[in-house]
Amino acid sequence: MSESKACNVCGETKPVSEFYKKEARCKVCTIGIKRRHRVERPFCSLATDKKSQSKRMGIPYDLTEDYLESIWTGFCPVFKTKLRNPYEGGNKERMSKNTPSLDRLVPAKGYVKGNVMFISNYANTLKGRATSEELTQVATWLQQTEEEIRQHEAD
């Protein structure tokens, strides 16, 4: 006979498999609480996420919720577009052009104060691992190629 217990949030009695280990609330309630927290306190959630990521990557970390909130402008400095709340809209919106991304200006320095800024996920994806010189080369090539196509079409 399988064990069951009552969730301390919704009050429903459910099988133990519906609970995370050592949790008094069911998985559904736990996920709901975490989602609300992400929307209500996005900088706290982001600081926690980046701390875990930094530990996995073995890079320095010293960010706080207050620091992240202090550097938030709500706009992408690359494309001058308005950025939305970091956790608003769920997974479907995670990769939209107005999704913010916390960029490490010098990746090896880690997620530390003075080395991070919010830019759009789109800009950060384009930037990738390229250097400014490499991006300039790509942009120059693209401009030349587009000009050649326009010339060819005009002939």
Side-chain angles (χ1 to χ4, degrees):
M1 188 169 171
S2 67
E3 281 188 57
S4 60
K5 65 181 185 179
C7 173
N8 70 351
V9 175
C10 66
E12 292 182 35
T13 300
K14 299 180 178 184
V16 173
S17 62
E18 294 295 313
F19 293 79
Y20 293 111
K21 288 182 180 180
K22 300 181 182 179
E23 285 279 345
R25 56 187 180 221
C26 69
K27 291 178 180 180
V28 172
C29 290
T30 299
I31 290 168
I33 288 167
K34 287 182 179 183
R35 282 185 182 148
R36 279 192 304 281
H37 183 262
R38 284 183 174 282
V39 172
E40 292 168 3
R41 292 188 58 198
F43 301 106
C44 178
S45 296
L46 187 59
T48 301
D49 291 348
K50 293 304 178 187
K51 183 176 185 179
S52 297
Q53 184 180 351
S54 296
K55 188 174 181 179
R56 282 192 313 273
M57 294 171 73
I59 58 175
Y61 172 88
D62 74 355
L63 304 177
T64 64
E65 176 182 8
D66 290 338
Y67 179 76
L68 291 176
E69 192 164 4
S70 77
I71 65 167
W72 174 255
T73 64
F75 288 89
C76 174
V78 178
F79 295 115
K80 312 297 187 238
T81 54
K82 188 176 186 324
L83 299 174
R84 63 176 180 76
N85 175 314
Y87 293 102
E88 178 180 81
N91 288 336
K92 287 183 181 179
E93 296 294 321
R94 291 291 295 253
M95 297 303 170
S96 71
K97 283 191 174 183
N98 66 340
T99 300
S101 178
L102 189 63
D103 182 45
R104 290 173 287 144
L105 302 174
V106 179
K109 288 186 177 180
Y111 287 104
V112 296
K113 295 172 185 166
N115 190 50
V116 295
M117 71 183 320
F118 287 100
I119 65 175
S120 70
N121 187 63
Y122 186 60
N124 208 3
T125 300
L126 291 174
K127 180 181 161 229
R129 296 180 181 195
T131 64
S132 60
E133 292 83 15
E134 291 167 335
L135 290 172
T136 300
Q137 286 178 307
V138 170
T140 301
W141 170 82
L142 186 57
Q143 287 172 335
Q144 290 171 348
T145 302
E146 288 173 347
E147 183 58 33
E148 289 172 11
I149 290 169
R150 282 192 291 276
Q151 289 293 329
H152 178 70
E153 289 174 347
D155 292 341

